Amino acid sequence: MRKGILLLKLNLKYLHSIAGKPVIIALLFFANFSILSQQGWFLQYGTPTSDFDRIFMIDSSNGWLIDYDSVFSTSNGGQNWIPNNTGYWGAEDIYFINLNTGWIVTGSYILKTTNGGQNWFQQLNSPTQHRVLFVDQNTGFTIGGIQLCRRTTNGGTNWSTISMGTGSNFLFSIYFTNHDTGWVGSEVGLLFKTTNCGLNWIQINTGVNTRLYSISFPTSDTGWAGGFDMVGESRIIFTSNGGINWV
């Protein structure tokens, strides 16, 4: 596993590897340094009370880390982190398409940078933006709230609302295996899948009663999704046929 920042908080956290591909959900309910070091983890930055939310590595050297009101950048694999204040509170997710261009969603705002995170400007003021992902410099998505998905085709200058079908399910995670095929995780084990870059979505019932907070597809057929249910029981499910069946 790639080295990364150890997020020590009694909460659900998400770890990203190269190019922002989710690795696995890390449920850090117990922060025990001796156990973590035996498993190959070491504290690289922060303290056991640090409130970091998301980490995004564009390659093995360059990455960004967010907490509630700040973004930190590294250019040496996490040995050093440079803080930068976005000017906005409530950062929830971060995504970079290259070393210069990236986006942050704060819950109420979508922010963009074109200089590697040194400066950020507002693109949209709208509630319930919790996750952001771009498939190229122009086409991107934000999700959050009750089946609310927004799509842009001009780098975030304009956003349109995409229908996710009928229902009233909260959305928690988003992942694209390529430019056209993508997944959105919801509650009660529901997944939404697109094969035309988000224009249309179909609903897939995985058969578990789990809020799916993380999705990863290393190939078009093989994938994992994971999260926890309403009583806090964690679960990871697996598919080997492109999401048709899950175990």
Side-chain angles (χ1 to χ4, degrees):
M1 181 175 290
R2 299 184 184 275
K3 71 177 181 180
I5 290 180
L6 182 59
L7 305 179
L8 295 177
K9 185 183 177 184
L10 303 183
N11 202 343
L12 184 75
K13 292 300 179 184
Y14 310 81
L15 301 180
H16 286 254
S17 69
I18 298 303
K21 303 302 184 183
V23 179
I24 194 169
I25 292 180
L27 296 171
L28 300 181
F29 291 109
F30 301 97
N32 185 304
F33 280 97
S34 62
I35 293 176
L36 289 169
S37 75
Q38 291 173 9
Q39 295 176 342
W41 290 94
F42 59 93
L43 181 63
Q44 192 177 49
Y45 184 71
T47 69
T49 59
S50 296
D51 194 16
F52 301 133
D53 288 305
R54 301 282 284 187
I55 181 173
F56 187 98
M57 299 296 294
I58 197 75
D59 56 37
S60 60
S61 298
N62 297 279
W64 297 264
L65 171 72
I66 57 173
D67 64 11
Y68 192 68
D69 65 342
S70 298
V71 56
F72 303 79
S73 62
T74 181
S75 59
N76 57 10
Q79 296 181 45
N80 303 103
W81 293 87
I82 302 172
N84 179 263
N85 195 308
T86 64
Y88 294 82
W89 293 86
E92 295 193 37
D93 198 16
I94 185 169
Y95 197 95
F96 272 75
I97 200 69
N98 54 45
L99 287 175
N100 293 313
T101 307
W103 293 263
I104 284 177
V105 288
T106 70
S108 297
Y109 299 99
I110 300 175
L111 311 178
K112 183 178 182 178
T113 181
T114 56
N115 59 6
Q118 297 180 48
N119 304 102
W120 297 85
F121 58 91
Q122 177 184 316
Q123 286 194 308
L124 182 68
N125 180 356
S126 181
T128 61
Q129 309 295 311
H130 302 305
R131 297 290 172 257
V132 59
L133 179 146
F134 273 71
V135 295
D136 57 41
Q137 291 195 39
N138 295 314
T139 308
F141 303 86
T142 68
I143 62 162
I146 299 177
Q147 289 187 205
L148 176 59
C149 177
R150 288 189 173 94
R151 183 176 185 264
T152 180
T153 57
N154 56 10
T157 302
N158 304 105
W159 296 82
S160 59
T161 301
I162 300 297
S163 173
M164 302 292 287
T166 59
S168 56
N169 301 291
F170 285 91
L171 306 180
F172 301 114
S173 56
I174 184 169
Y175 184 93
F176 269 69
T177 58
N178 53 50
H179 186 276
D180 294 320
T181 304
W183 301 83
V184 167
S186 184
E187 54 189 341
V188 294
L190 293 180
L191 284 169
F192 296 87
K193 181 181 181 180
T194 180
T195 55
N196 58 5
C197 198
L199 294 177
N200 304 102
W201 297 82
I202 61 171
Q203 182 175 300
I204 297 173
N205 192 332
T206 64
V208 298
N209 186 25
T210 303
R211 291 183 171 184
L212 299 175
Y213 283 93
S214 188
I215 307 168
S216 180
F217 273 79
T219 71
S220 59
D221 291 326
T222 305
W224 289 265
F228 58 85
D229 59 24
M230 295 300 292
V231 296
E233 181 179 348
S234 60
R235 182 189 295 269
I236 296 175
I237 55 178
F238 169 77
T239 181
S240 58
N241 57 8
I244 298 174
N245 303 107
W246 294 82
V247 294

